[in-house]
Amino acid sequence: MVNSLPMIEVSVSTDICYQEENVNIEVQPIGGTLTGLGVVGNQFNPKDKSLLVDQGSYVFYNYTDANSCTNRDSVLVTLRMEPATPVFKDTSICSNEMIQVQIATANNVSIEWYEVGEDEVFSTNESLNLDSDGDYYAKVSNEYCSTYADEFTVRVLDPEVEIEELAEESIQLGESIQLGLVNPNSDYSYSWSTDLNLIGLGEEVVDTPTETIDYTVTASIAHCESSTSVTVIVLQPVIIPSMFTPKGDGLNDVWGITGLESYSY
């Protein structure tokens, strides 16, 4: 009597990504022997250093039944390279700026952009323009494998600044004015100026102006800044002459009161 060979089957993914975790090998019936490069027990190890990318390697399954009949099955496994992904750095931009991040792709490569914590893909373009705070990452896939770019953060810097309300909008000539900020931020640096002339640094400044003047404070962080201004009116003294000499010599020829222009009347 001639016994027939046992019916056997070995199955495993025929394309496995390089550096992927071990992949299970399925066999029917169980009880035989698996051999081949990358075979460890009943698994295939893509990290086996004897394997070469894009070159096939056979997984063999030998099985002997109760009648001592042996059969062999095999499957060709090809190790595939994952698509390359760039490394993005955390970036800070100003509120009026935009940053472009880009992944250069080869043929048959797709990109999916995600915001961390969100499952929905918000872009599939190679380049991405970002102008708001967020944590992002990208999934890059080729015909066989997918990989993920590291998460990166975009931070929008908007150094808001507000000058404290003045107790009085006007001062007398010779008096000093103290200017301060509403809710200053320790992360910002502040500079005070008049007509582009720097007069002080920090959260407050004291000055003694000689005429009505605009004070500007600029808040800065990294390369971002914003400014606001306030006008301080300096009241000039009112001078009422006690006499005049209208003799045409150009000195005190006209009687008039000076300094009234600083006042409302």
Side-chain angles (χ1 to χ4, degrees), residues 41-55:
N42 64 340
Q43 294 184 321
F44 183 85
N45 177 19
K47 301 177 183 179
D48 191 310
K49 295 183 179 179
S50 62
L51 299 171
L52 299 177
V53 174
D54 292 330
Q55 292 191 19

Side-chain angles (χ1 to χ4, degrees), residues 8-12 14 34-35 57-62 71-77:
I8 68 172
E9 181 183 9
V10 57
S11 63
V12 66
T14 56
L34 285 165
T35 58
S57 176
Y58 279 99
V59 172
F60 298 100
Y61 181 56
N62 292 280
N71 200 1
R72 167 186 277 195
D73 191 19
S74 64
V75 60
L76 181 65
V77 177

